[in-house]
Amino acid sequence: MTLARHVIRAVTTAEIGHRYVRPVGRNSFRGDHGSGGTATAYVVETDRGATGWGLPLSAGDPARLVGRNLAELIDPDRGVIDPAAEFLDYPLHDLAARILQVPVYAMLGAAGTPRVRCYSGGIYFDDLDAAEGIEVIRANLRQDHELGFRDFKLKLGRGYRWMDPQAGLERDIEVTRLARELHPDAEILVDPNDGYTVNTLTAYLDAVGDCRLYWIEEPFAERWEDFRFLRELLGTSGPKIADGEFDPDEEHIVRLAQEGLLDIALMDVIGHGLTAWRRTMPRLVDASTEASPHAWGLPLKTLYAAHLAAGLGNIPIVEGVPGHTEGTDGDGYTLADGHVTLSEQPGFGIKLP
């Protein structure tokens, strides 16, 4: 059945929850991240009874879409084509793929594989709030490994706000070396959340040079001069440079990629949007730069990032949120042996009750 046979009958909302497997602590600049929360999803229904749902990109006016032909709002080959409907990017992709009876990743082109490598993004500064100190990091790494993760991202930058700068750097180094000791075969990713200076980063990299880091994410704000220094420091055989999560400017990120200063683009899966990722990915491929859409927050965002990886390709690994989506029939994937495997159900493969 084609999309043109469907007219939007109603757009409603539904509250969904998410719950982390443990309380999540601080990062370099932000306090406690809590145990979970709720989010408002949008549900789009057509006059033929088809339904799709998902998280919105931003605020929007659903009333402007009621009575519109679905084919005027989304093109399966490109994404959302009407600016008034952009805020419903994910619900409309879910709806279109359900009507076409394919998973979203297949509608995106199936350039990757539905078995997507996935790291744990849940290793924060819990050591700063626990009596056992760094031992809580050991326990968190063990818990995430038991959940099925085999690769881990470590938050760094304890000396930016929470500790004496030198003591914070030493703790960052200690945590990194602990993760490598416990998981000698893991990919270790590190993320100071812009909490390092060039000098701090240099000292950190000198101290963990034998830890085989996979990438270093957002070490400091995206200044051209600092990124040129970082590229010269790392060369082409060191950790990959990952950036672009915070307040992303697509043109700025693409220019960094084109100049060889960026290896992994991280624009948020919601903040950038699925349609925008469909537009941006070929530009990154042309610049020989990979992507890994930032997905922290809701486990549902891991599902979205995995569909992007399976659909568009050029995404070697995605961020996993250790937790579960509440108020749905599941998370839309299974996690085992360091990978998420996507459902073959139409749409994103996850339903509201």
Side-chain angles (χ1 to χ4, degrees):
M1 180 178 289
T2 66
L3 303 191
R5 297 182 64 185
H6 287 259
V7 173
I8 304 299
R9 189 187 71 82
V11 181
T12 57
T13 60
E15 294 298 308
I16 60 170
H18 62 282
R19 185 64 51 186
Y20 304 140
V21 297
R22 59 180 177 268
V24 177
R26 297 176 258 178
N27 64 13
S28 68
F29 68 95
R30 180 181 167 187
D32 184 78
H33 284 66
S35 299
T38 60
T40 300
Y42 278 81
V43 182
V44 184
E45 183 180 351
T46 76
D47 60 342
R48 291 180 171 269
T51 301
W53 74 277
L55 298 175
L57 304 189
S58 60
D61 183 4
R64 297 178 60 187
L65 307 182
V66 175
R68 297 282 305 279
N69 189 288
L70 182 58
E72 297 174 357
L73 305 180
I74 183 169
D75 178 348
D77 294 328
R78 292 183 292 157
V80 176
I81 54 178
D82 186 329
E86 286 180 355
F87 76 104
L88 294 182
D89 199 3
Y90 284 91
L92 288 173
H93 272 85
D94 188 51
L95 174 61
R98 289 179 187 274
I99 291 170
L100 297 174
Q101 287 293 295
V102 296
V104 168
Y105 69 80
M107 193 171 74
L108 299 183
T113 168
R115 185 173 185 267
V116 180
R117 192 165 187 172
C118 182
Y119 67 85
S120 166
I123 309 299
Y124 279 63
F125 296 174
D126 295 353
D127 56 299
L128 301 187
D129 299 305
E132 60 267 41
I134 194 172
E135 288 304 305
V136 76
I137 302 296
R138 182 189 301 270
N140 291 351
L141 288 164
R142 180 173 61 249
Q143 182 179 31
D144 290 354
H145 187 274
E146 290 172 352
L147 290 173
F149 293 105
R150 296 296 178 265
D151 306 306
F152 309 92
K153 185 167 79 175
L154 313 176
K155 291 294 186 178
L156 304 180
R158 289 168 175 81
Y160 177 73
R161 180 179 178 186
W162 310 111
M163 298 179 71
D164 170 82
Q166 183 60 36
L169 173 61
E170 291 173 0
R171 178 61 63 84
D172 288 350
I173 293 167
E174 186 180 8
V175 167
T176 305
R177 302 198 71 84
L178 173 65
R180 176 51 71 209
E181 174 191 343
L182 294 175
H183 300 287
D185 298 324
E187 298 290 10
I188 302 296
L189 305 73
V190 296
D191 179 10
N193 286 114
D194 291 341
Y196 274 1
T197 65
V198 168
N199 289 339
T200 305
L201 178 63
T202 302
Y204 170 78
L205 291 173
D206 284 344
V208 300
D210 60 338
C211 288
R212 306 188 324 276
L213 300 180
Y214 180 71
W215 84 34
I216 182 159
E217 172 180 338
E218 293 196 321
F220 32 61
E222 298 94 334
R223 294 180 65 250
W224 287 91
E225 297 84 354
D226 291 344
F227 267 74
R228 289 187 184 281
F229 170 82
L230 182 57
R231 173 54 74 205
E232 293 174 1
L233 178 67
L234 297 178
T236 57
S237 58
K240 297 181 180 184
I241 301 172
D243 215 300
E245 168 201 338
F246 180 73
D247 193 21
D249 178 333
E250 179 179 340
E251 294 306 317
H252 182 58
I253 296 302
V254 170
R255 285 197 300 272
L256 286 172
Q258 291 170 339
E259 297 221 2
L261 304 181
L262 185 68
D263 300 307
I264 306 277
L266 299 175
M267 290 83 81
D268 188 84
V269 71
I270 295 291
H272 197 49
L274 199 161
T275 296
W277 268 112
R278 298 179 74 170
R279 177 190 68 237
T280 305
M281 191 65 80
R283 305 180 70 192
L284 295 174
V285 170
D286 288 345
S288 299
T289 297
E290 295 175 317
S292 182
H294 174 260
W296 179 258
L298 288 77
L300 188 57
K301 292 174 69 176
T302 295
L303 173 66
Y304 290 163
H307 273 271
L308 279 165
L312 301 181
N314 199 44
I315 297 176
I317 195 168
V318 298
E319 183 169 29
V321 180
H324 298 286
T325 304
E326 299 176 327
T328 68
D329 68 346
D331 288 318
Y333 59 82
T334 58
L335 171 65
D337 196 28
H339 294 75
V340 295
T341 300
L342 295 172
S343 165
E344 295 182 357
Q345 295 298 312
F348 286 109
I350 178 171
K351 297 179 180 179
L352 297 172

